[in-house]
Amino acid sequence: MKSNRHMENVSRIVVKIGTSSLMHGNGKLNLRAIDQLSYTLTGLVNEGKQVILVSSGAIGAGMGQLGLTERPEQIQKQQALASIGQSELMTVYQQRFAAYGQRISQVLLTHDVLDYPQSREYVHNTMEQLLDWGVIPVVNENDTVAVDELDHRTTFGDNDKLSAIVAVRSHADLLIMLSDIDGF
């Protein structure tokens, strides 16, 4: 098999996937996209790469579970939807990655966790151990506790920014941002 010379020197990859890539327009999870993602990322791990997945989709999955067609404006409703959706999303990820023999974990972050040196070190150590074990950490913002109104800085703003922070903090060689937006 021909080797991809551009990937030869890449050992750690952060992959970010957005809600619109994970969800159908009708609010249901796009199982085909999740399966393809699971298959591809497992293939990278099998090649000896370390992979971190930054995944959006929790609020969208929660909306789909409850049959909501419009995202509510109230923070507490968005947080509750994220709580419902994160559970569903991780269940589907667990099933699809397991089908390919790949182990995953969940890492939920808030900005203040990475701002405080001690907690930042704990997260770093956890991620390093997961990667050493060949486990793919599935990272998302902890939307149930990350709100703008709190006195301390908790939110990342979006998972594009979160994926960049994770890539820098984890010393990734490559950040891949998957998108279904035309021209991006």
Side-chain angles (χ1 to χ4, degrees):
M1 179 174 217
K2 186 178 176 183
S3 137
N4 184 342
R5 65 185 176 106
H6 299 291
M7 291 291 285
E8 286 175 0
N9 297 324
V10 172
S11 61
R12 186 170 290 178
I13 305 166
V14 174
V15 176
K16 185 266 180 184
I17 189 162
T19 302
S20 62
S21 297
L22 295 169
M23 305 294 298
H24 288 295
N26 64 5
K28 301 292 183 187
L29 284 173
N30 185 339
L31 298 176
R32 182 173 298 147
I34 293 171
D35 188 64
Q36 290 172 340
L37 179 68
S38 303
Y39 175 79
T40 302
L41 297 186
T42 298
L44 290 170
V45 172
N46 290 344
E47 292 174 16
K49 311 292 185 200
Q50 294 180 325
V51 177
I52 300 169
L53 175 61
V54 177
S55 176
S56 299
I59 293 174
M63 288 174 56
Q65 280 280 353
L66 296 182
L68 301 178
T69 56
E70 291 187 30
R71 183 176 171 141
E73 292 182 22
Q74 299 90 343
I75 296 290
Q76 70 273 17
K77 289 183 180 179
Q78 291 178 28
Q79 290 173 302
L81 287 170
S83 176
I84 294 166
Q86 188 66 31
S87 176
E88 180 187 19
L89 198 55
M90 286 307 297
T91 298
V92 172
Y93 276 140
Q94 184 66 42
Q95 292 168 346
R96 297 318 312 142
F97 276 102
Y100 300 110
Q102 178 60 53
R103 294 165 302 182
I104 64 168
S105 72
Q106 176 177 253
V107 178
L108 296 175
L109 298 174
T110 57
H111 213 301
D112 58 346
V113 167
L114 297 180
D115 284 345
Y116 293 105
Q118 189 67 51
S119 55
R120 182 174 58 238
E121 180 182 347
Y122 293 153
V123 169
H124 174 78
N125 293 343
T126 299
M127 297 278 273
E128 288 296 319
Q129 186 60 66
L130 290 167
L131 293 168
D132 285 349
W133 283 338
V135 174
I136 296 176
V138 179
V139 178
N140 194 3
E141 183 164 8
N142 191 345
D143 291 319
T144 60
V145 298
V147 293
D148 294 324
E149 295 92 30
L150 300 178
D151 290 337
H152 49 98
R153 188 169 66 144
T154 57
T155 64
F156 293 102
D158 62 33
N159 278 351
D160 290 349
K161 184 175 180 182
L162 174 60
S163 66
I165 291 168
V166 168
V168 169
R169 299 261 186 210
S170 67
H171 307 288
D173 301 304
L174 181 64
L175 169 59
I176 300 171
M177 300 178 79
L178 302 175
S179 177
D180 58 0
I181 298 170
D182 291 339
F184 181 66

